[in-house]
Amino acid sequence: MARDTTHPPQQTEDRPASTSRRGFLQLAAATGAAISVGRSAKALTDLPYPAGDLTDEKLVDMYRTILRIRWHERTQADEMLSNPDYRGYNHFYAGQEAVATGVCANLRNSGPRNQLDLVYSSHRPSGHAIAKGVDIPKMVAEMDFRATGMNGGYGAEMHIADPDVGFAGADGMIGPAPVIASGSAFAFRARGSDQVAVVFAGDGNYAAPHFHSTLNNAKILDLPLIYVCENNLYHQYAHYSLSCPHEDIATAAAAYGIPAVTVDGQNVVEVYNVAKEAVDRARAGGGPTFIEAKTYRYYNHWGAPGATAGELGAFGYDPLAITHFRPEKEVRAWMQRDPVDIARRILVEWGIVDAARAAEIEEEVKAEIAAAFEWGLSQPFCTPEDGLKHVFAEGTVPARQFG
C-alpha cells in the first residue's frame, strides 16, 4: 500500500464510554469524605488530588496528552541514537509532561486566532507544543528540516511555532520569552480581551534580568500573564542553587506582590488546579500569577548523550557536562514519581478506566506517534533557496550567494 506523504495522519481523541463517578465516590469514602450521590462532583475537591471541575473525559484527554509527549520524546531520542540519517535534535521534555499538560488544559487552544490564549515556550518546546495542540506529524517534519514541516523546515526545534493554536514559539536564547509574553499580555489588556498569555521558563531564567523586569511590569500593569517556572533543578549542567539563593524560586516572585505558588510538577491534576485558578483570575482582570512546578528532566540538557536506544532516560556520560554531572541515583529516584505513572494511577484508582483500558490508550498513542514519525521523515527536505523566502513582505531575493 502506498504511503500518503501529502497529508499527516490525523490525531484521535479518546472518548470514554462511561462517565461514572463510582470510583471517585469509593476513593472519597476511603478517605473519610462525607458526600452524597447528588453531590458527587463537589466531593471531588475532598480527594487526595482535588479534581475540581475535571470531567472523566478531560482526565483521559490529559493522560493521552502526557503520553503523546512522552512517546514523541522517546521516539525522537531513539532516532537520534540509532538513525545516522536523522538530522533533528531536541532539548527533551520527558519527565516534565504533567506541567505543560496541566497548564494548557485550561487554555483556549482552538478557534479564531484573536481569541486564542498564547503560549511562549522555552528550550524544551516539544512538550509545550504538543500540549497546546500543534500538528504532531508536521512538528516531526519540522524538527528534521523537512519542507512540509510546520515552519517550512527552517524553524527546526528551537523556533517551532503555530499561530493557529496559539503556540507563539520556542526560545532560542535564555531569558527573552517572559518579556515578549508580557507584551502580548499587555496587548490583550489594552484591547479589552480576556485572553491570557502563558510563558514557560526554566529555573535558569531566574538569573536573567528578564525574570525580574517581567514580574515587575506584570504586577504594575496587572497583566493577564501566567509565568510557569519549570524548576527541573538544573540549568544546563549547573544546579539552580548556584545562581538562586531561594529554595523556592516562587519566593522571589512573591516579592513583587504577585500570587506565587509551588506545585508538584509530576502530578497533572495538581498542576491543572493551580493553573485553573491562575487562568480564571487573569481572565477576570485579577492580574498575573507565578507558578513554580517542581519537576525533573530524564535526559541531559540537550540531545541524547548518555542514553540508550529503546530505554527511557540518560544515565551515561555526557561530554558536555564540564561542571556538574547529575547522579544516576537522583535521576532514578525522580523516575519513581513519573508523570505517566501518576496520571495512569489516578485514572485507575478513581474508576475512570481500568488498567487494561489505560494500557490500550498508551498503545494507541504509541501507534499515533510512530505514524507521525513515519510521515514526517518521509517528507522532502527544504532547500537552500527556500531560505530566501519570507525575507521581504512581498517578492523574493535573487539567489546570488549560491553562485
Side-chain angles (χ1 to χ4, degrees), residues 130-212:
I130 292 173
K132 198 67 171 70
V134 304
D135 186 297
I136 298 177
K138 288 185 177 180
M139 186 178 76
V140 170
E142 181 64 31
M143 288 192 174
D144 198 41
F145 303 92
R146 306 285 177 155
T148 52
M150 58 196 291
N151 304 118
Y154 281 90
E157 180 240 3
M158 297 300 289
H159 302 287
I160 56 174
D162 186 352
D164 287 334
V165 297
F167 184 68
D171 190 353
M173 296 293 292
I174 292 295
V179 177
I180 304 171
S182 67
S184 292
F186 180 81
F188 298 156
R189 190 190 139 200
R191 70 170 186 240
S193 170
D194 69 346
Q195 294 163 269
V196 302
V198 176
V199 59
F200 290 95
D203 47 277
N205 272 56
Y206 168 84
H210 311 84
F211 175 94
H212 302 279

Side-chain angles (χ1 to χ4, degrees), residues 21-370:
R21 294 295 182 184
R22 183 176 303 151
F24 289 104
L25 302 180
Q26 290 173 342
L27 185 57
T31 61
I35 59 174
S36 66
V37 173
R39 297 177 64 246
S40 60
K42 183 175 179 58
L44 301 183
T45 60
D46 298 325
L47 295 172
Y49 311 132
D53 65 344
L54 281 167
T55 63
D56 291 359
E57 207 171 51
K58 187 81 164 181
L59 286 161
V60 173
D61 284 346
M62 292 198 301
Y63 174 58
R64 186 176 285 273
T65 298
I66 287 174
L67 288 171
R68 282 182 176 134
I69 299 171
R70 171 61 55 84
W71 283 103
H72 173 273
E73 307 301 270
R74 290 194 61 172
T75 305
Q76 188 174 22
D78 285 353
E79 288 290 334
M80 294 178 66
L81 290 164
S82 61
N83 182 356
D85 296 324
Y86 186 68
R87 305 199 303 178
Y89 74 101
N90 199 358
H91 292 72
F92 291 114
Y93 197 72
Q96 303 180 202
E97 295 92 345
V99 183
T101 299
V103 172
C104 292
N106 286 282
L107 303 179
R108 292 182 193 148
N109 304 319
S110 61
R113 286 190 182 183
N114 64 355
Q115 296 178 21
L116 295 172
D117 296 322
L118 292 186
V119 158
Y120 286 83
S121 185
S122 66
H123 264 32
R124 306 189 185 284
S126 49
H128 308 137
I130 292 173
K132 198 67 171 70
V134 304
D135 186 297
I136 298 177
K138 288 185 177 180
M139 186 178 76
V140 170
E142 181 64 31
M143 288 192 174
D144 198 41
F145 303 92
R146 306 285 177 155
T148 52
M150 58 196 291
N151 304 118
Y154 281 90
E157 180 240 3
M158 297 300 289
H159 302 287
I160 56 174
D162 186 352
D164 287 334
V165 297
F167 184 68
D171 190 353
M173 296 293 292
I174 292 295
V179 177
I180 304 171
S182 67
S184 292
F186 180 81
F188 298 156
R189 190 190 139 200
R191 70 170 186 240
S193 170
D194 69 346
Q195 294 163 269
V196 302
V198 176
V199 59
F200 290 95
D203 47 277
N205 272 56
Y206 168 84
H210 311 84
F211 175 94
H212 302 279
S213 62
T214 296
L215 296 178
N216 187 67
N217 289 334
K219 174 58 179 178
I220 290 174
L221 300 172
D222 282 329
L223 299 182
L225 174 72
I226 300 167
Y227 191 127
V228 181
C229 172
E230 297 182 280
N231 187 352
N232 61 24
L233 304 187
Y234 294 88
H235 35 277
Q236 291 192 332
Y237 302 94
H239 194 273
Y240 81 102
S241 62
L242 297 177
S243 63
C244 178
H246 308 290
E247 180 177 352
D248 296 330
I249 297 176
T251 303
Y256 291 95
I258 292 174
V261 297
T262 61
V263 66
D264 179 4
Q266 308 306 91
N267 187 316
V268 68
V269 175
E270 292 192 24
V271 174
Y272 176 90
N273 286 340
V274 298
K276 175 175 172 50
E277 183 177 346
V279 170
D280 289 348
R281 178 166 50 245
R283 290 206 201 285
T289 300
F290 185 91
I291 299 171
E292 179 185 1
K294 306 285 191 178
T295 187
Y296 200 80
R297 54 178 164 84
Y298 292 166
Y299 291 90
N300 285 307
H301 172 62
W302 77 276
T308 302
E311 297 181 12
L312 174 63
F315 310 103
Y317 175 68
D318 183 347
L320 295 178
I322 58 176
T323 53
H324 289 73
F325 195 77
R326 303 183 305 173
E328 179 177 338
K329 64 174 58 177
E330 178 183 277
V331 182
R332 294 193 182 279
W334 274 91
M335 292 178 75
Q336 295 304 305
R337 298 198 62 259
D338 184 51
V340 173
D341 293 341
I342 291 173
R344 182 190 302 113
R345 188 165 65 246
I346 288 173
L347 293 182
V348 173
E349 290 182 356
W350 289 4
I352 299 169
V353 299
D354 58 21
R357 178 56 188 145
E360 286 178 359
I361 293 172
E362 182 159 14
E363 290 304 312
E364 291 167 5
V365 169
K366 287 170 65 175
E368 176 188 324
I369 297 301

